[in-house]
């Protein structure tokens, strides 16, 4: 082998070593990151662009590497550390599991207390959550279905509310079509408003159609509903209704002063309450009062109602 060829071979190996050391150095550079990262749906190229636009030290070269090791899943993922080497960061993008937390909206609860729960679990401001809810929801309450939701850690108030409202509104639409054969939002949320009062008043699922019948019977006779549950709206969800409160409350939810159904639901509802609102029992009761068993005694006349009270 000539000296010239030896020189060329030496240069070639030097270049190979240089490339190897450069790659090793590159993949060992530190990437600063949030522990929970949002990965949008789309191509690897669009994911890299999204990360780059949000302050992550990634570039076109990284997308080629990702093609070999795997595709990141969309949504929020938990990569575990704030500082990782470039190669560990890219690997974590493809292997990390979703960062989710369960949160439950119980039937009858109001958005006021659900926002407090979300604020506590996701380290968000109540004011931001309420503002986001008002941005996406058409009604003050009752929009989000009573259910348990798996929500991503690290998400913004706007993201969480958009997700909760859009998912719930689709469930409202599907349920309306299933039960009524058509979805008319105004008509449907009148049922939801009735259901929200039923949810507050009924002692159990069996009572729901009967309470529903009382509501419809009183409306038919032009009587105010006079139901305490309607006054358990917003921050008053767990507050006992007093005579003073009935006199002073000037909201639409005061069914002692206002006839008919409030435009906005009082709180969250279950499917059972909605079904009861749509299909009331065939009874002619006008009154009910809680009895010693924790359920309600129903009556047709005020005289009978007075006896039940005693």
């Amino acid at each position: 082998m000539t000296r010239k060829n030896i020189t060329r071979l030496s240069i070639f190996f030097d270049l190979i070593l240089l490339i190897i050391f450069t790659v090793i150095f590159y993949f060992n550079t530190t990437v600063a990151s949030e522990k929970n990262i949002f990965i949008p749906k789309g191509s690897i190229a669009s994911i890299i662009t999204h990360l780059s636009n949000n302050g992550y030290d990634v570039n076109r070269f990284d997308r080629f590497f990702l093609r070999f090791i795997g595709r990141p899943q969309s949504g929020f993922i938990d990569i575990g550390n704030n500082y990782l080497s470039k190669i560990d960061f890219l690997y974590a993008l493809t292997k990390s599991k979703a960062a989710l937390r369960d949160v439950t909206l119980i039937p009858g609860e109001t958005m006021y207390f659900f926002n407090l729960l979300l604020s506590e679990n996701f380290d968000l401001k109540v004011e931001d959550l309420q503002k986001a809810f008002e941005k996406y929801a058409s009604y003050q309450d009752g929009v989000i279905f009573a259910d348990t939701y798996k929500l991503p850690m690290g998400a913004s108030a706007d993201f969480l509310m958009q997700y909760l409202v859009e998912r719930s509104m689709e469930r409202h639409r599907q349920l309306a079509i299933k039960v009524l054969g058509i979805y008319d939002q105004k008509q449907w949320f009148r049922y939801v408003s009735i259901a929200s009062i039923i949810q507050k008043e009924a002692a159990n699922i069996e009572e729901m159609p009967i309470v529903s019948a009382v509501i419809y019977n009183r409306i038919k006779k032009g009587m105010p509903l006079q139901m305490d549950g309607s006054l358990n709206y917003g921050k008053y969800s767990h507050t006992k209704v007093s005579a003073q409160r009935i006199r002073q409350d000037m909201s639409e939810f005061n069914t002692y002063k206002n006839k008919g159904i409030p435009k906005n639901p009082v709180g969250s509802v279950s499917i059972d309450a909605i079904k009861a609102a749509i299909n009331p029992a065939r009874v002619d009761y006008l009154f009910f009062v809680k009895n010693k068993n924790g359920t309600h005694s129903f009556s047709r006349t005020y005289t009978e109602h007075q006896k039940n009270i005693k």
Side-chain angles (χ1 to χ4, degrees), residues 91-104:
Y91 183 80
L93 289 181
T94 64
K95 304 301 179 183
S96 297
K97 296 181 179 180
L100 302 173
R101 174 171 289 178
D102 287 352
V103 62
T104 300

Side-chain angles (χ1 to χ4, degrees), residues 234-272:
K235 64 182 180 179
Y236 303 108
S237 181
H238 306 287
T239 303
K240 186 175 181 179
V241 177
S242 63
Q244 181 182 12
R245 172 85 192 289
I246 292 171
R247 289 193 301 270
Q248 295 179 348
D249 191 290
M250 304 304 292
S251 73
E252 64 170 301
F253 299 104
N254 191 338
T255 55
Y256 286 86
K257 292 184 177 182
N258 305 309
K259 290 184 178 181
I261 304 298
K263 176 186 175 183
N264 289 281
V266 180
S268 62
V269 296
S270 63
I271 293 177
D272 291 310

Side-chain angles (χ1 to χ4, degrees), residues 79-147:
I79 66 168
N81 292 285
N82 292 117
Y83 297 96
L84 293 168
S85 66
K86 174 65 72 74
I87 192 168
D88 287 337
F89 176 75
L90 295 174
Y91 183 80
L93 289 181
T94 64
K95 304 301 179 183
S96 297
K97 296 181 179 180
L100 302 173
R101 174 171 289 178
D102 287 352
V103 62
T104 300
L105 174 58
I106 63 174
E109 192 54 278
T110 62
M111 280 305 301
Y112 177 88
F113 284 97
F114 189 50
N115 280 337
L116 291 177
L117 181 64
L118 291 173
S119 173
E120 179 182 345
N121 279 273
F122 296 93
D123 194 25
L124 296 168
K125 293 182 179 179
V126 172
E127 297 79 8
D128 292 341
L129 289 163
Q130 180 60 30
K131 184 177 179 181
F133 176 76
E134 292 172 0
K135 176 181 176 181
Y136 294 108
S138 301
Y139 297 88
Q140 293 178 17
D141 219 316
V143 173
I144 300 176
F145 258 98
D147 205 347

Side-chain angles (χ1 to χ4, degrees), residues 12-25:
F12 173 78
F13 281 116
D14 287 343
L15 288 172
I16 294 296
L17 288 173
L18 179 61
I19 292 171
I20 291 173
F21 283 123
T22 301
V23 170
I24 291 173
F25 176 80

Side-chain angles (χ1 to χ4, degrees), residues 197-258:
I197 298 176
I198 295 170
Q199 194 81 62
K200 293 281 189 179
E201 293 285 350
N204 50 47
I205 294 174
E206 289 71 26
E207 279 192 0
M208 286 183 174
I210 307 175
V211 173
S212 178
V214 173
I215 291 173
Y216 282 105
N217 292 340
R218 292 181 74 91
I219 291 174
K220 187 176 181 180
K221 288 183 175 292
M223 300 169 65
L225 298 186
Q226 296 181 322
M227 294 187 177
D228 288 359
S230 64
L231 282 166
N232 289 133
Y233 65 89
K235 64 182 180 179
Y236 303 108
S237 181
H238 306 287
T239 303
K240 186 175 181 179
V241 177
S242 63
Q244 181 182 12
R245 172 85 192 289
I246 292 171
R247 289 193 301 270
Q248 295 179 348
D249 191 290
M250 304 304 292
S251 73
E252 64 170 301
F253 299 104
N254 191 338
T255 55
Y256 286 86
K257 292 184 177 182
N258 305 309

Side-chain angles (χ1 to χ4, degrees), residues 278-291:
I278 296 172
N279 298 297
R282 294 185 178 182
V283 293
D284 55 359
Y285 296 132
L286 290 172
F287 307 92
F288 60 90
V289 64
K290 184 171 285 188
N291 57 42

Side-chain angles (χ1 to χ4, degrees), residues 23-210:
V23 170
I24 291 173
F25 176 80
Y26 174 79
F27 281 123
N28 279 281
T29 56
T30 301
V31 176
S33 169
E34 298 289 337
K35 289 186 177 181
N36 298 308
I37 304 176
F38 177 70
I39 304 296
K41 292 182 179 179
S43 65
I44 290 177
S46 64
I47 292 171
I48 290 297
T49 300
H50 167 81
L51 292 173
S52 178
N53 291 339
N54 284 272
Y56 289 91
D57 183 20
V58 291
N59 52 53
R60 291 182 178 180
F61 177 76
D62 298 318
R63 77 184 188 189
F64 292 111
F65 183 73
L66 281 178
R67 293 183 192 277
F68 289 102
I69 64 173
R71 180 187 180 85
Q73 63 174 316
S74 60
F76 278 87
I77 59 173
D78 180 5
I79 66 168
N81 292 285
N82 292 117
Y83 297 96
L84 293 168
S85 66
K86 174 65 72 74
I87 192 168
D88 287 337
F89 176 75
L90 295 174
Y91 183 80
L93 289 181
T94 64
K95 304 301 179 183
S96 297
K97 296 181 179 180
L100 302 173
R101 174 171 289 178
D102 287 352
V103 62
T104 300
L105 174 58
I106 63 174
E109 192 54 278
T110 62
M111 280 305 301
Y112 177 88
F113 284 97
F114 189 50
N115 280 337
L116 291 177
L117 181 64
L118 291 173
S119 173
E120 179 182 345
N121 279 273
F122 296 93
D123 194 25
L124 296 168
K125 293 182 179 179
V126 172
E127 297 79 8
D128 292 341
L129 289 163
Q130 180 60 30
K131 184 177 179 181
F133 176 76
E134 292 172 0
K135 176 181 176 181
Y136 294 108
S138 301
Y139 297 88
Q140 293 178 17
D141 219 316
V143 173
I144 300 176
F145 258 98
D147 205 347
T148 296
Y149 298 91
K150 291 185 179 294
L151 301 177
M153 299 296 296
S156 66
D158 191 88
F159 180 94
L160 286 183
M161 280 304 171
Q162 182 180 17
Y163 171 80
L164 288 168
V165 170
E166 288 183 355
R167 179 176 177 182
S168 292
M169 288 302 291
E170 178 58 23
R171 289 182 65 185
H172 281 295
R173 188 188 70 81
Q174 291 177 358
L175 184 59
I177 293 173
K178 180 179 179 180
V179 176
L180 301 175
I182 189 173
Y183 175 60
D184 179 288
Q185 182 173 297
K186 185 176 180 180
Q187 177 198 38
W188 180 255
F189 271 89
R190 184 175 187 275
Y191 285 128
V192 174
S193 293
I194 295 172
S196 69
I197 298 176
I198 295 170
Q199 194 81 62
K200 293 281 189 179
E201 293 285 350
N204 50 47
I205 294 174
E206 289 71 26
E207 279 192 0
M208 286 183 174
I210 307 175

